[in-house]
Amino acid sequence: QVQLVESGGGLVQAGDSLRLSCTASGRTLSTYNVAWFRQAPGKERVFVASISRTAAGTSYADSAKGRFTISRDNAKNTVYLQMNSLKPEDTAVYYCAADLRAYGMGRYDYWGQGTQVTVSS
């Protein structure tokens, strides 16, 4: 079973950038499709971006398109979320998730504990 640990969150100002990392242990991450989700205070957790095992496929929520980039380094067992031009509405706990099923099914069995991103105006 894979264990996921997110890092890279923090407090930034609007317009700044952050890069989140999701590092796996217990299993090689290259066999998993991986996604980032986020949950803002008082709201449900929502999809942000996903990437297939080989990085051949990526998908983004409308809110992330043009500002966020998901990537992976399978040699480092890590998936990244580069976030540029951050806005206060990006404030949330960001979670990475992984799954062995076919890419695009939108279901993820393995989750990290999350990392807080706070964007001040």
Side-chain angles (χ1 to χ4, degrees):
Q1 180 170 326
V2 66
Q3 290 85 45
L4 305 172
V5 177
E6 303 94 336
S7 61
L11 172 63
V12 297
Q13 293 186 332
D16 286 350
S17 298
L18 275 177
R19 188 178 77 161
L20 305 183
S21 298
C22 173
T23 301
S25 62
R27 290 286 190 271
T28 177
L29 197 58
S30 63
T31 61
Y32 294 81
N33 299 307
V34 178
W36 286 94
F37 290 77
R38 68 186 184 187
Q39 186 168 20
K43 296 187 177 180
E44 293 188 353
R45 189 158 54 188
V46 297
F47 170 79
V48 176
S50 66
I51 188 166
S52 64
R53 293 176 182 83
T54 63
T58 58
S59 180
Y60 295 90
D62 287 344
S63 60
K65 288 179 182 176
R67 298 188 302 127
F68 295 3
T69 302
I70 190 169
S71 62
R72 67 192 301 160
D73 186 339
N74 285 337
K76 295 183 178 179
N77 244 17
T78 301
V79 169
Y80 303 99
L81 185 67
Q82 178 68 43
M83 304 187 296
N84 298 329
S85 303
L86 283 162
K87 306 174 182 179
E89 50 264 44
D90 294 318
T91 294
V93 177
Y94 283 72
Y95 299 89
C96 70
D99 201 82
L100 290 168
R101 284 170 284 215
Y103 182 65
M105 292 189 66
R107 296 174 62 185
Y108 296 87
D109 281 342
Y110 305 100
W111 293 81
Q113 294 299 307
T115 185
Q116 176 71 47
V117 172
T118 303
V119 184
S120 64
S121 57

